[in-house]
Amino acid sequence: MSTSSSLDSAESNGSNVWAYKAAFDKRYQKFLDEVTPYYAYRWIGTVVILGLFMLRIFILQGFYIVTYALGIYLLNLFLAFLQPKFDPSLEMDITENEGEEGPSLPTQADEEFKPFIRRLPEFKFWYSSTKAIVISLFCTFFPFFDIPVFWPILLIYFCILFAITMKRQIKHMRKYNYVPFDIGKKAYNGKK
């Protein structure tokens, strides 16, 4: 009898853990849904967390590998944010090979307007960036992540990588005539 009651209590404890996790997930999703329209406040919070991370790195004078990995990851996210969901260069290669027309961004004035759809939407960019910064900040509390490296080499390599990557991205944007931002775009007022 005592064995079956201990099994029942273990099963109820296990189901309680899953119930708490489900309740937490539900509250977390509700929080994300509520903060979605407040993009300025979301980004301000992310910049504050990034500032805390940078301050911690400055004070500790270490964890340069964590910082470098965070920088590379944020650069990767930023590039995905700048790129269109349907890459015109890939679509041109496909249409040349197959001879079919597919969806693409307009490259000439007489082509039909197609809206710019990002490969990585703004909310996912913010969410992934914030999560990465929080994880990096968390990693700075464990000394085994503090691998001794000569940080100026990492900094120079990151700056070179950033410059080359952004140069290539800007060339791509010019070649296929798309601007991923609203700056400088015409705004049309609808009928009131």
Side-chain angles (χ1 to χ4, degrees), residues 74-106:
L74 292 177
L75 177 62
N76 186 21
L77 288 176
F78 184 62
L79 287 174
F81 177 71
L82 289 179
Q83 293 173 348
K85 186 172 186 175
F86 306 106
D87 191 359
S89 63
L90 294 176
E91 290 176 4
M92 289 182 78
D93 291 341
I94 291 170
T95 56
E96 286 175 5
N97 292 338
E98 296 178 0
E100 296 180 5
E101 286 289 324
S104 64
L105 294 172

Side-chain angles (χ1 to χ4, degrees), residues 104-142:
S104 64
L105 294 172
T107 55
Q108 298 174 357
D110 60 343
E111 287 188 33
E112 176 186 350
F113 170 74
K114 294 183 177 133
F116 183 81
I117 302 171
R118 299 180 187 284
R119 183 164 28 130
L120 182 67
E122 183 272 335
F123 182 80
K124 288 183 180 179
F125 177 42
W126 166 79
Y127 183 69
S128 298
S129 299
T130 306
K131 194 165 51 169
I133 295 167
V134 168
I135 289 170
S136 298
L137 185 61
F138 182 72
C139 287
T140 62
F141 289 100
F142 299 100

